[in-house]
Amino acid sequence: MPELVFFSGTMDCGKSTLALQIGHNRSARGLQGVIFTRDDRAGEGKLSSRLGLVTEAVEAGEGMDLYAYLVDQLSKGGKADYVIVDEAQFLAPEQIDQLARIVDDLELDVFAFGITTDFRTKLFPGSQRLIELADRIEQLQVEALCWCGARATHNARTVDGVMVVEGEQVVVGDVNRPAEEVGYEVLCRRHHRRHMTSAATRAGALSPDVLPVNHA
């Protein structure tokens, strides 16, 4: 039976790499897929991995009806055996409903990839709807690591190298950006709560044995 599968994890855990691998494996068997993405780091209409791999994709812009797009392509003689959606957290809840309809009405597997929570530890609306509707949720097994070596569970946003917890939910950026740019870093919960990024740790002299008192 076709499924809506949500592959989730923090930034830097290999989601886009797995999306590209799934597409490669199926295309090697003669299957054709449609790839949607939204706000990829490589630019519009691209699905890219931090390993340097990139492929063309359909930009799933705001207001786009993904189900109608598939129906239109099929009615024109196109072929689709499966659907891949990267950066699925950026989709609107109604677009996630459209993915579920692709599975149920067109009987196609849909593989959605995305991070679950934003830099404030709040659920993205698209991810929340995927959790509500997905037939299966897969936590990626490649663990991203906090600077301390612990498993990273949270995404931190930095501006001028300083962690911020306020601002728009969606601001496109990436890990390992220059300090003066909007960037992101994956942290364990402990250090996300303390706003302790790798840069802050290098700059400060706070002993790990001293508990901070200025953050909840």
Side-chain angles (χ1 to χ4, degrees), residues 156-168:
R157 179 185 294 172
T158 59
V159 177
D160 294 330
V162 178
M163 180 175 162
V164 296
V165 293
E166 295 181 354
E168 296 182 12

Side-chain angles (χ1 to χ4, degrees), residues 138-157:
E138 299 283 351
Q139 187 76 25
L140 267 69
Q141 297 304 306
V142 178
E143 294 184 347
L145 298 179
C146 177
W147 59 263
C148 69
R151 177 173 175 263
T153 54
H154 292 68
N155 305 293
R157 179 185 294 172

Side-chain angles (χ1 to χ4, degrees), residues 76 81-82 125 137 147 161-162 164 174:
K76 293 178 179 177
D81 298 302
Y82 61 92
I137 300 172
W147 59 263
V162 178
V164 296
D174 202 359

